[in-house]
């Protein structure tokens, strides 16, 4: 399948020049994966030894091997070409590649790694859905909805108004930059919460539910501002369609869980060959991801919903264990790729062209952090809840911010300084959130690490009064410790 994808990608990307041989594309992809796994493992191990989440090390490892430092893993989206990639340069010196063929090889190799990265984040959200509890998410649904709505409106309004009044940015680019402040990276936040054993606490469930709603609202906002950027007017019909499709999809996924569980188990128990559980589970997850993408939502929301549905089945524990090694292979590609695509050269204010963007970036970072932190204090009806932790958990933009940036850049609505400011905001909110999350959970995390299971099941239950039963915590502990190393 991967070979067919590689061959198909290279044939599509070839223009008038001869397409690179599929064996060379395979070689480029394999070298890229070697770089990805080295970066994720070394970064994750160093981060773990420093007392930080492994995912932060994977992101930093991606930055080191990416466009910012070593140029081992670069992508066309960052403005690079084949001459910027050391992998392509190595293949040019060891094979007879013309410059045109090398460029086609670079495009095909990058496309394959990007597809694997997207597959990685889909697997990650499916795994997170399996670790979550649908009943607990519904129990915090109202609080999560309030947190999500405030977390979207406050940064959007403050960012847009501030750019227009303080920096004289025109309305459309200011609205686009404000929109980039709205959505939360559910992939990064949920991975960190899982690593530190807080995924199934009351705070973790509110964060997770709010992040899901955030993504839906963010997608709607993105559709609106993208339409505004392209045509100068908002397509009201498309906005209404997105709202209806998002609501229908999420409610339908929840309803599906009540009728699908027994059927899934019955089918699985009739299968006798290898993969009798994990293959049907992936079929269901990919169908749900496709349906989400088909109605113009994010595929990761469909995968997350699939995990929530299968979490209700009797096969949950066994499925969680079987997902772990697959996630260990694919998920690091996503985090390293996100890091590799960020260009830290925009941090250098000594370059005159970067100064305006740097100042705007400081403003956007302040709005991005404060606009999310205050959301935690909007939680109501909960006497004993860590509101600061909820706000901090909503900070990272990660891949979501990069999606906004990519579309804004493609439409040509963003100036170079404003693009640089958004990049810097995405980088810092992504990197600051993991250590901040560990800092705002000091007592619970200390208790968690004091027991052999790694999560301190019974003690954390007493501290939070909202954990799932100890038997499922044991599975989550196994999943977290395995996925924590990438």
């Amino acid at each position: 399948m991967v070979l067919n994808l590689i061959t198909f990608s290279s044939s599509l990307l070839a223009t008038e020049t001869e397409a690179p041989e599929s064996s060379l594309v395979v070689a480029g992809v394999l070298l890229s994966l070697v770089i990805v796994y080295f970066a994720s493992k070394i970064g994750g191990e160093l981060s773990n030894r420093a007392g930080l989440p492994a995912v932060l090390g994977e992101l930093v490892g991606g930055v080191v091997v990416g466009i910012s430092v070593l140029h081992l893993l670069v992508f066309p989206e960052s403005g690079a070409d084949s001459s910027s990639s050391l992998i392509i340069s190595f293949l040019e010196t060891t094979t007879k590649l013309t410059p045109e063929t090398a460029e086609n090889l670079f495009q095909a190799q990058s496309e394959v790694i990007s597809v694997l990265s997207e597959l990685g984040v889909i697997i990650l959200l499916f795994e997170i859905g399996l670790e979550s509890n649908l009943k607990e998410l519904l129990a915090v649904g109202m609080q999560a909805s309030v947190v999500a709505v405030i977390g979207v409106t406050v940064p959007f309004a403050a960012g847009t108004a501030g750019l227009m009044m303080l920096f004289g940015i025109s309305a459309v680019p200011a609205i686009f930059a404000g929109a980039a402040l709205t959505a939360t990276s559910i992939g990064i936040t949920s991975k960190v919460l899982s690593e530190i054993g807080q995924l199934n606490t009351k705070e973790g469930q509110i964060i997770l539910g709010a992040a899901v709603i955030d993504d839906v609202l963010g997608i709607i906002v993105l559709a609106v501002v993208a339409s505004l950027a392209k045509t100068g007017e908002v397509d009201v019909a498309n906005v209404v369609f997105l709202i209806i499709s998002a609501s229908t999809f999420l409610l339908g996924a929840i309803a599906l869980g009540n009728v699908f569980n027994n059927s899934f188990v019955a089918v699985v128990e009739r299968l006798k060959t290898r993969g009798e559980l994990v293959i049907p589970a992936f079929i269901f997850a990919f169908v749900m991801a496709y349906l989400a993408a088909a109605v113009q939502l994010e595929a990761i929301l469909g995968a997350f919903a699939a995990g929530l549905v299968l979490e209700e089945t009797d096969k949950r524990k066994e499925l969680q264990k079987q997902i772990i090694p697959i996630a260990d292979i694919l998920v690091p590609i996503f985090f390293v790729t996100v890091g590799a695509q960020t260009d830290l050269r925009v941090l250098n204010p000594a370059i005159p062209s970067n100064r305006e963007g740097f100042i705007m970036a400081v403003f956007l970072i302040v709005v991005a952090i404060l606009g999310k932190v205050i959301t935690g204090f909007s939680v109501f009806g909960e006497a004993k809840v860590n509101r600061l932790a909820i706000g901090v958990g909503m900070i990272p933009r990660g891949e979501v911010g990069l999606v906004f940036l990519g579309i804004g850049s493609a439409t040509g609505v963003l100036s170079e300084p404003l693009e640089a400011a958004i990049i810097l905001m995405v980088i810092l909110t992504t990197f600051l959130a993991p250590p901040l999350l560990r800092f705002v959970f000091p007592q619970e995390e200390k208790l968690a690490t004091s027991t052999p299971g790694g999560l301190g099941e019974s003690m954390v239950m007493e501290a939070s009064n909202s954990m799932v039963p100890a038997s499922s915590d044991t599975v989550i502990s196994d999943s977290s410790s395995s996925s924590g190393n990438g």
Side-chain angles (χ1 to χ4, degrees), residues 134-157:
L134 181 59
K135 293 182 178 64
E136 292 190 356
L137 278 177
L138 292 176
V140 298
M142 187 57 67
Q143 291 97 326
S145 299
V146 172
V147 169
V149 171
I150 294 177
V152 168
T153 55
V154 172
F156 177 73

Side-chain angles (χ1 to χ4, degrees), residues 130-136 197 199-201 205 311-312 316-317 320 455-462 464-478:
L130 284 172
E131 293 181 2
S132 303
N133 187 285
L134 181 59
K135 293 182 178 64
E136 292 190 356
L199 185 63
N200 283 294
T201 59
Q205 293 296 291
E311 191 274 338
E312 296 287 303
R316 179 199 65 216
K317 297 179 184 178
Q320 285 177 342
L455 293 184
E457 289 91 350
S458 60
M459 300 183 73
V460 175
M461 282 176 63
E462 293 174 2
S464 65
N465 291 322
S466 59
M467 295 289 285
V468 295
S471 60
S472 63
D473 279 347
T474 304
V475 179
I476 296 172
S477 174
D478 293 339

Side-chain angles (χ1 to χ4, degrees), residues 346-401:
V346 302
L347 290 171
N348 185 8
I351 301 176
S353 60
N354 286 347
R355 291 172 188 166
E356 183 183 2
F358 185 82
I359 296 172
M360 283 193 292
V362 173
F363 168 76
L364 290 181
I365 290 166
V366 172
V367 172
I369 293 175
L370 294 182
K372 292 294 187 180
V373 169
I374 65 172
T375 62
F377 297 93
S378 66
V379 175
F380 60 93
E382 298 288 343
K384 296 181 180 180
V385 66
N386 191 336
R387 289 172 169 80
L388 180 59
I390 293 172
V392 170
M394 301 296 292
I395 287 176
R397 270 52 175 197
E399 77 286 354
V400 183

